[in-house]
Amino acid sequence: MSAPASAPAPLPVPDGDVLSRIASWCREQDHRNSYLADLRRLVEQESPSDDKPLLDAIADLLQELLSERLGEPSRTVRHREPELGDVIEAEYDGTADGATVTVVGHYDTVWPAGTIAEWPFTLTDGTVSGPGAFDMKAGLAQGMWALRALRELGLPRPTVRFVFNGDEETGSVVSRPLIERATDGAAATLVLEPGGEWGIKAGRKGVGIFTLTATGLEAHAGLDPAKGASAIHALADVIRDLVAAAAPARGTTVNIGRISGGTARNVIAGEATCLVDVRVSTQEEIERVDRVLAGLVAADPRVTITVAGDWNRPPMQPGPGGRRLFALADGVATHIRAPLAELFVGGGSDANFVAALGRPVLCGMGATGDGAHARHEHVLVADLPDRVALTAGTLLGLAGEQGAARG
């Protein structure tokens, strides 16, 4: 019997004096002001997920900002998409031998075109607000400035492969395979989604997106009610059964986000649909919910129930490599400010795809604040320099890593 494999050695935390230099550089007023100026440019360039011209415009802006802050990339590819946002890959060579870190962020937002006119970029009372500021345009700027800090200070740095996508809010259908390819062989992946207070996201729930459709028989509600079979009534019954499958203690939630159906008040509905969002923490819960979905049957045999959709994102659970990566970031954070909070949240992100492949990944490396997808969306200005320093210090710690953290 072979001996069990030994656990990989911890990633070395950079010297405290060096981390203090990074933090001091990031906290300089001129650097903070320039960072905020970049954030303003990104927020004022609207980028709803369903507006291709606006998505193209912000992709152009991101490439412009990369060149302004970091120079021309060593390698760049822009994967053109006919309807969704393009995927930008921009790579900057490092000083370390062979170490590569993939830095991922999305530039699409949930806010429709024209929102900026009624909700402009605002800097007041220690916060920045505006559509997409928190989720996640602050993170995009942060990633650029973290690498710039290492370069300006003459410190070692890994090869950094930026991947910016424009379809995350709609499920990353186009960008997922590109993200999976871009993270293959990387020492680590850092996802610039918003963080939480002084913490980062080590775990996320999996996300299932489904549509239930009930198909019945139309009839006049007064003259021939017995000849009808109501799709709405049947859908209401199966919704009750599906919602009952939620198990919050196990991390499973079920939400019916929208219901539609029928044609008129006095017509027995021939068709009805509902949109379903399911969040789970484990693969076992995915399998259980799948069985529930497969078993949904209308009480009236004249009504059929069909289920469309799939699991958009698998659960993100930290493996050995992810825990090793968190320990590095925690060590960096402790020198800069304080130990990190290890957060486990219900929302999914592109980090879920990376974790599912057994690759070390940290999410929530971006800005702190609150209000993702809400009108009170905002970023805490005081935290911005330290969040940039956290990312820079983590990159520094990975500068000599050869990808052995996978697990």
Side-chain angles (χ1 to χ4, degrees):
M1 179 182 295
S2 59
S6 59
L11 292 167
V13 177
D15 179 78
D17 290 339
V18 174
L19 292 174
S20 294
R21 286 176 57 205
I22 293 173
S24 295
W25 188 94
C26 294
R27 292 167 183 160
E28 289 181 17
Q29 189 69 32
D30 287 348
H31 297 149
R32 193 194 78 152
N33 289 346
S34 295
Y35 175 91
L36 287 170
D38 289 352
L39 176 55
R40 180 170 194 151
R41 291 171 67 183
L42 289 168
V43 170
E44 291 182 342
Q45 178 57 67
E46 293 185 288
S47 51
S49 300
D50 60 355
D51 193 314
K52 178 59 174 171
L54 289 178
L55 291 170
D56 285 346
I58 197 168
D60 292 341
L61 175 57
L62 282 167
Q63 291 189 278
E64 181 181 330
L65 283 172
L66 282 168
S67 297
E68 290 178 7
R69 298 308 182 193
L70 298 169
E72 291 300 316
S74 308
R75 288 166 292 282
T76 184
V77 178
R78 182 162 166 174
H79 302 274
R80 302 279 181 175
E81 299 296 333
E83 298 179 0
L84 301 174
D86 297 344
V87 180
I88 300 168
E89 294 185 49
E91 189 166 296
Y92 288 87
D93 289 337
T95 58
D97 181 18
T100 297
V101 176
T102 305
V103 177
V104 177
H106 70 86
Y107 58 82
D108 62 320
T109 76
V110 299
W111 300 103
T115 303
I116 194 69
E118 59 191 56
W119 180 21
F121 178 93
T122 304
L123 173 57
T124 182
D125 297 329
T127 65
V128 166
S129 67
F134 181 57
D135 186 16
M136 56 165 286
K137 292 181 177 181
L140 299 176
Q142 177 184 316
M144 300 180 201
W145 277 90
L147 181 55
R148 180 177 175 127
L150 296 182
R151 295 175 65 164
E152 292 289 322
L153 292 169
L155 295 171
R157 57 189 184 273
T159 293
V160 174
R161 181 181 298 141
F162 290 105
V163 181
F164 297 144
N165 60 319
D167 66 339
E168 194 273 347
E169 296 291 3
T170 55
S172 303
V173 174
V174 168
S175 60
R176 176 177 181 172
L178 298 173
I179 292 169
E180 291 175 338
R181 188 178 70 189
T183 59
D184 186 18
T189 298
L190 306 180
V191 180
L192 299 169
E193 289 277 2
E197 297 181 356
W198 188 240
I200 54 179
K201 296 167 183 175
R204 287 181 173 273
K205 289 186 179 182
V207 182
I209 301 174
F210 303 97
T211 300
L212 303 187
T213 301
T215 305
L217 297 173
E218 287 188 336
H220 193 289
L223 296 177
D224 299 304
K227 292 183 178 179
S230 175
I232 289 178
H233 295 179
L235 186 64
D237 287 340
V238 298
I239 286 174
R240 179 194 58 204
D241 295 339
L242 179 57
V243 171
R250 284 179 276 178
T252 300
T253 59
V254 178
N255 181 65
I256 310 301
R258 188 175 71 183
I259 297 176
S260 59
T263 56
R265 176 182 53 81
N266 60 347
V267 177
I268 292 175
E271 185 171 280
T273 63
C274 69
L275 305 183
V276 183
D277 179 288
V278 184
R279 306 290 168 126
V280 296
S281 295
T282 65
Q283 180 62 36
E284 290 76 15
E285 281 297 279
I286 286 179
E287 294 168 1
R288 184 181 70 84
V289 173
D290 278 343
R291 292 194 293 271
V292 172
L293 289 167
L296 294 176
V297 178
D300 188 329
R302 297 174 296 170
V303 179
T304 59
I305 304 294
T306 58
V307 180
D310 207 343
W311 294 95
N312 175 254
R313 287 182 169 87
M316 174 185 167
Q317 297 176 317
R323 296 188 187 95
R324 187 169 173 247
L325 183 57
F326 179 85
L328 166 62
D330 185 42
V332 171
T334 300
H335 281 291
I336 291 173
R337 180 165 160 179
L340 283 176
E342 187 175 14
L343 306 174
F344 294 82
V345 298
S349 82
D350 291 329
N352 292 57
F353 304 138
V354 182
L357 294 171
R359 299 169 185 169
V361 57
L362 289 179
C363 194
M365 294 293 293
T368 56
D370 196 12
H373 298 191
R375 281 285 181 161
H376 66 281
E377 177 176 7
H378 65 272
V379 172
L380 299 178
V381 175
D383 282 355
L384 288 174
D386 288 354
R387 300 295 291 198
V388 175
L390 171 62
T391 304
T394 304
L395 289 173
L396 174 62
L398 291 162
E401 181 64 10
Q402 303 296 313
R406 183 171 303 170

